[in-house]
């Protein structure tokens, strides 16, 4: 009698598990189809407004020719307390470099991802101080995710090379020169070109397919010793899943400091579908698909209080990884370009 009860209970649990699994798979398939044609993004064109004159500024697109040498895209969600420090450091560096080299032109694009605090006010203060030609703000209206914020900034930037960096300033902006130099080196090597790219009329850095990935892998031992245990657990497990999903040779896919040429960004950010936790992994997958050379470069990095990643992020990460694997491996997600 007791054995029959146990067996009946086991059967019930098994049926419940199967139903849950079926529900998850069904939901994943439906969500994968929903994103099939990449229509779930924020496609309304941003309006750049000059807060000094209140006039609207023409909105560029990634398919337009570059007008600046470098664009820096800063996604910001409830970053009222950390954004100003990062912008001060970033703009001081850019101004100093521009003063030494008149050909060095730049823009900083702050993408407010539906912040509920004073992030928008802080961002527009910098537009007023540094003018809309150099600093611009995109408002997404509601929170869509870091990946969507970066995508929007990339699609409406003007640079030959484009850098994404976090609003918390965890990586020193001066390290962009490491990524920039590697991109130039790869461009020269790929085109068997020995002198300065800028001096050659037949080759522009914007037209070369290259991605430079900032990496904290060299800091792993130190990070394991100082970082909270759940973040170590999260990152270790995530790296294993990434290797299984995309087979990447990139040790640190999640560093928020990445640089792309305009040609590479055009292919990547018109195809990317993930909007939150795993968009970095999808970028690596798309780089592999398009045969875009990736160079992983060690950068200086500091743990900044206020991280938005926690244990609750794990199921969301796994969900997005599942969507990506299902979408691309079944061919439901088409790749264009």
């Amino acid at each position: 009698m007791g054995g029959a009860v146990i067996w009946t209970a086991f059967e019930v649990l098994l049926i419940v598990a199967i139903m849950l699994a079926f529900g998850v798979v069904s939901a994943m398939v439906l969500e994968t189809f929903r994103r099939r044609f990449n229509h779930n993004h924020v496609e309304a064109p941003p309006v750049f407004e000059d807060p000094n004159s209140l006039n609207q500024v023409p909105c560029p697109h990634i398919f337009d020719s570059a007008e600046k040498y470098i664009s820096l895209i800063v996604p910001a969600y409830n970053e009222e307390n950390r954004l100003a420090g990062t912008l001060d450091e970033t703009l001081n560096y850019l101004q100093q470099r521009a003063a030494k080299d008149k050909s060095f032109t730049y823009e900083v694009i702050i993408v407010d991802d539906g912040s509920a605090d004073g992030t928008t006010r802080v961002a527009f203060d910098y537009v007023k101080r540094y003018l809309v030609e150099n600093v611009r703000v995109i408002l997404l209206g509601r929170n869509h995710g870091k990946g969507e914020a970066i995508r929007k900034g990339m699609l409406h930037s003007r640079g030959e090379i484009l850098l994404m960096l976090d609003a918390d300033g965890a990586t020193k902006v001066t390290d962009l020169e490491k990524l920039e130099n590697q991109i130039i080196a790869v461009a020269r090597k790929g085109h068997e070109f020995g002198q300065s790219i800028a001096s050659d009329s037949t080759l522009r850095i914007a037209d070369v397919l290259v991605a430079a990935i900032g990496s904290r892998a060299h800091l792993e031992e130190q990070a394991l010793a100082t970082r909270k245990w759940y973040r170590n657990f999260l990152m270790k497990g995530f790296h294993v899943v990434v290797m299984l999903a995309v087979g990447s040779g990139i040790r640190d896919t999640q560093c928020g400091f990445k640089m792309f040429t305009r040609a590479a960004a055009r292919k990547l950010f018109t195809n990317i579908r993930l909007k939150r936790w795993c968009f970095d992994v999808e970028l690596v997958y798309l780089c592999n698909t398009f045969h875009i050379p990736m160079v992983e470069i060690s950068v200086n990095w500091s743990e900044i209080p206020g991280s938005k990643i926690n244990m609750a992020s794990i199921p969301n990460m796994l969900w997005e990884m599942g969507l990506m694997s299902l979408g691309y491996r079944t061919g439901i997600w088409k790749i264009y370009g």
Side-chain angles (χ1 to χ4, degrees), residues 2-299:
V5 172
I6 293 174
W7 179 248
T8 301
F10 175 77
E11 286 182 321
V12 171
L13 290 174
L14 182 61
I15 291 171
V16 171
I18 292 173
M19 291 176 66
L20 287 173
F22 179 77
V24 170
V25 172
S26 298
M28 186 171 291
V29 171
L30 289 173
E31 180 66 13
T32 302
F33 270 102
R34 192 172 73 85
R35 302 191 190 199
R36 181 178 183 183
F37 298 108
N38 214 13
H39 287 165
N40 69 322
H41 288 291
V42 184
E43 296 301 352
V47 176
F48 292 118
E49 185 179 87
D50 184 349
N52 294 311
S53 66
L54 299 182
N55 294 327
Q56 291 188 5
V57 177
C59 179
H61 197 274
I62 193 68
F63 286 102
D64 299 337
S65 298
E67 300 176 11
K68 298 278 188 177
Y69 175 67
I70 187 169
S71 297
L72 287 77
I73 290 83
V74 184
Y77 176 60
N78 292 340
E79 293 288 357
E80 176 184 12
N81 296 323
R82 303 193 295 185
L83 182 59
T86 298
L87 292 178
D88 284 338
E89 179 185 338
T90 298
L91 287 161
N92 286 339
Y93 164 80
L94 294 172
Q95 285 187 318
Q96 291 175 13
R97 188 163 169 184
K100 296 177 182 177
D101 180 1
K102 298 303 180 184
S103 67
F104 181 83
T105 54
Y106 65 87
E107 67 173 351
V108 176
I109 300 177
I110 307 155
V111 187
D112 186 346
D113 187 23
S115 298
D117 62 358
T119 297
T120 301
R121 173 185 53 78
V122 173
F124 273 111
D125 283 346
Y126 281 83
V127 182
K128 292 178 181 178
R129 287 167 54 186
Y130 292 92
L131 305 181
V132 73
E133 179 61 22
N134 298 316
V135 181
R136 296 182 170 189
V137 178
I138 296 176
L139 305 176
L140 296 190
R142 64 180 179 85
N143 180 249
H144 291 270
K146 179 181 175 181
E148 179 64 17
I150 291 173
R151 173 184 177 270
K152 199 68 171 177
M154 291 282 179
L155 290 182
H156 298 288
S157 60
R158 294 175 288 167
E160 292 189 50
I161 54 177
L162 300 90
L163 176 75
M164 53 178 265
L165 69 162
D166 291 337
D168 61 6
T171 303
K172 294 297 182 184
V173 67
T174 52
D175 276 2
L176 74 82
E177 294 179 26
K178 297 180 181 179
L179 279 62
E180 176 189 1
N181 291 337
Q182 286 298 313
I183 281 183
I184 292 174
V186 172
R188 288 174 175 169
K189 182 178 180 181
H191 288 74
E192 297 180 352
F193 190 73
Q195 72 249 34
S196 170
I197 286 177
S199 66
D200 183 76
S201 60
T202 65
L203 177 64
R204 296 182 63 196
I205 193 69
D207 300 324
V208 182
L209 292 172
V210 190
I213 312 297
S215 176
R216 304 156 299 179
H218 62 295
L219 302 172
E220 185 172 3
E221 289 187 9
Q222 177 185 347
L224 288 173
T226 59
R227 201 162 49 198
K228 293 180 179 179
W229 70 268
Y230 64 82
R231 296 198 71 187
N232 290 332
F233 173 80
L234 177 64
M235 295 310 298
K236 283 291 187 181
F238 187 74
H239 290 160
V240 173
V241 176
V242 168
M243 291 298 293
L244 294 174
V246 301
S248 167
I250 301 298
R251 295 175 62 195
D252 181 9
T253 60
Q254 300 307 108
C255 181
F257 202 74
K258 295 180 175 69
M259 183 179 286
F260 310 92
T261 59
R262 192 170 187 82
R266 185 180 299 127
K267 287 183 176 290
L268 297 172
F269 291 97
T270 54
N271 278 285
I272 194 167
R273 288 171 170 85
L274 298 181
K275 301 196 293 183
R276 292 188 182 274
W277 296 270
C278 294
F279 79 96
D280 300 88
V281 180
E282 189 180 6
L283 284 174
V284 173
Y285 178 89
L286 289 171
C287 281
N288 287 330
T289 301
F290 283 118
H291 304 291
I292 296 175
M294 291 180 288
V295 186
E296 188 170 12
I297 302 118
S298 298
V299 295

